[in-house]
Amino acid sequence: MIARVWTARARPDGADAYAAHFNHHVLPALEAVDGYQGATLLRRARGESTELVVISWWISEEAIRGFAGDDFERAVVADEARRVLTSVAGCWLLVAGG
């Protein structure tokens, strides 16, 4: 199992707007991709902004490519979502198990 993780920041109202976007647009799109196993949006207030962490679970890198394309370590953020975020940080993969 592979976790794909990316982070972003938003003002509190932007974080609420992103959460709605995540639930109404991102999750349905992910559910249509073979190999997708689930996703979670985490939030943490940090002063005047909110940190957002998205973790999605996949069975393989090939499955991730089905959603993110060949550059699967680049965050996939729709223009609608980007407008409510103040920054988008890194995206990386972590392999579960051990």
Side-chain angles (χ1 to χ4, degrees), residues 40 80 96:
T40 300
E80 172 187 337

Side-chain angles (χ1 to χ4, degrees), residues 21-34 36 58 66-67:
H21 172 80
F22 180 80
N23 289 322
H24 293 49
H25 300 283
V26 175
L27 289 178
L30 290 172
E31 289 167 358
V33 180
D34 287 337
Y36 165 74
W58 303 86
F67 170 70

Side-chain angles (χ1 to χ4, degrees), residues 21-76:
H21 172 80
F22 180 80
N23 289 322
H24 293 49
H25 300 283
V26 175
L27 289 178
L30 290 172
E31 289 167 358
V33 180
D34 287 337
Y36 165 74
Q37 300 293 298
T40 300
L41 170 63
L42 305 171
R43 300 164 55 151
R44 177 172 67 160
R46 303 292 292 173
E48 298 284 322
S49 70
T50 300
E51 181 179 14
L52 303 166
V53 178
V54 176
I55 305 170
S56 56
W57 295 95
W58 303 86
I59 60 169
S60 67
E61 288 183 7
E62 190 61 33
I64 297 168
R65 282 187 181 92
F67 170 70
D70 287 335
D71 188 6
F72 55 78
E73 288 191 326
R74 178 187 53 83
V76 176

